């Protein structure tokens, strides 16, 4: 019997490793261009006194569709960065993205600098929406081994997209692919190191947490509607109570963080942002667990909006680095003179 099991595994091994079918959706790009045409990408800047309003819009789009939010957040983040660093490299309108992931096996190198124009060589990984957007801000590396923010036009020569390794199901349609640069032209945005040193870097990190929150709220509302219309079920009511408690705490944390940023727009926001990201991530995990256990399989299989959010959100929230982020938060607190836990 053991030989039969091994034979079955051998026969089906190739089937298990089959590539996932590409998940392209032209409607995603169309929806993003509609947002731009209607001016919905013109959000208040972080630290401008309306940080919460900016995050509310990100949360709202996330509750509609996380693939759209991925493009929307990248585009609005790029606009904020360009304004913060006082740069307008291209005049033609289009969809922007921000690609700043730096895995050890992919790096873009800056060479042949003439004023703000440079040449780029290498590979950039995790380039969300590369097949759908027009421009990108990327981090590349100078001879000083410092990250330099570079603006690129994706239709220019020397830039090619490689989607072969993209196998995602959740967040699949955003296609965070590899982009190869071979003597491609780029335009420097700010000085070397400015991308990480600017106040907006950590402020933008909290905006991502607002998007996590918005998607979790959309799932929670499905449970709330079901409880309003469904039969008596104390177990489902308990799940709804747990969801409410988690979201209420996360909402309060986001509001407090937005207030802090607006009161300290030029200060280092790393500690409050690391705190709020940790809080919201925990709340999202609770919401996903309780909503799924309360509702069962039906909305996962028959509600297209719920099903997309449910499969996309666990992938999207992995923009958090889990225990690594918690360790960084703990280290910040270790070196802080106060823990700030008083009521």
């Amino acid at each position: 019997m053991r030989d039969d099991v091994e034979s079955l595994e051998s026969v089906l091994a190739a089937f298990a490793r089959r590539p996932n079918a590409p998940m392209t959706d032209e409607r995603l790009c169309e929806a993003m261009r509609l947002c731009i045409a209607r001016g919905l990408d013109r959000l208040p800047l972080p630290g401008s006194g309306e940080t919460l309003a900016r995050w509310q819009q990100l949360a709202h789009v996330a509750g509609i569709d996380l693939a759209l939010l991925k493009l929307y957040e990248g585009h609005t983040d790029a606009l904020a960065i360009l304004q913060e660093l006082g740069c307008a490299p291209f005049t033609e309108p289009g969809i922007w993205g921000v690609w700043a992931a730096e895995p050890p096996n992919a790096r873009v190198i800056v060479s042949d600098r003439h004023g703000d124009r440079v040449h780029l060589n290498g590979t950039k990984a995790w380039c969300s929406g590369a097949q759908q957007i027009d421009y990108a801000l990327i981090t590349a590396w100078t001879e000083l081994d410092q990250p330099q923010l570079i603006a690129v036009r994706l239709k220019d020569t020397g830039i090619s997209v490689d989607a072969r390794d993209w196998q995602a199901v959740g967040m699949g349609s955003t296609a965070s692919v590899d982009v190869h640069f071979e003597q491609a032209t780029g335009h420097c945005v700010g000085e070397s190191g400015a991308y990480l040193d600017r106040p907006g870097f950590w402020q933008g990190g909290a905006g991502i947490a607002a998007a996590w929150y918005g998607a979790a709220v959309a799932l929670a509302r499905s449970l709330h509607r079901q409880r309003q219309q469904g039969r008596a079920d104390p177990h489902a009511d308990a799940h709804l109570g747990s969801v409410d408690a988690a979201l209420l705490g996360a909402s309060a944390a986001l509001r407090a963080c937005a207030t802090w940023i607006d009161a300290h727009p030029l200060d280092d926001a790393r500690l409050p942002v690391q705190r709020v990201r940790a809080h919201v991530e925990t709340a999202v995990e609770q919401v996903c667990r309780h909503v799924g256990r309360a509702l069962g399989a039906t909305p996962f299989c028959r509600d297209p909006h719920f099903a997309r959010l449910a499969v996309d959100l666990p992938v999207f929230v992995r923009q958090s680095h889990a225990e690594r982020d918690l360790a960084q938060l703990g280290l910040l607190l270790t070196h802080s003179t106060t823990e700030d836990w008083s009521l």
Side-chain angles (χ1 to χ4, degrees), residues 201-202 270-275 277-278 319-336:
F201 177 79
W202 282 106
R270 182 172 183 175
L271 177 56
V273 170
Q274 289 275 49
R275 279 174 159 171
R277 282 169 64 100
Q319 288 179 298
S320 156
H321 300 103
E323 279 70 21
R324 289 183 178 86
D325 283 354
L326 291 174
Q328 291 177 0
L329 174 57
L331 187 61
L332 287 173
L333 291 169
T334 298
H335 295 292
S336 176

Side-chain angles (χ1 to χ4, degrees), residues 98-103 105-109 120-128 130 136-141 147-150 152 154 159-162 176-182 195:
V98 179
W99 302 334
E102 294 290 347
N105 61 338
R107 176 172 277 201
V108 176
I109 304 298
L120 303 171
N121 290 280
T123 297
K124 196 69 182 171
W126 298 102
C127 299
S128 297
L137 294 177
I138 74 167
T139 49
W141 293 83
Q148 168 68 59
L149 198 62
I150 306 289
V152 295
L154 297 176
I159 301 176
S160 59
V161 173
D162 182 355
S176 295
V177 299
D178 294 341
V179 175
H180 303 297
F181 296 86
E182 185 175 356
Y195 172 70

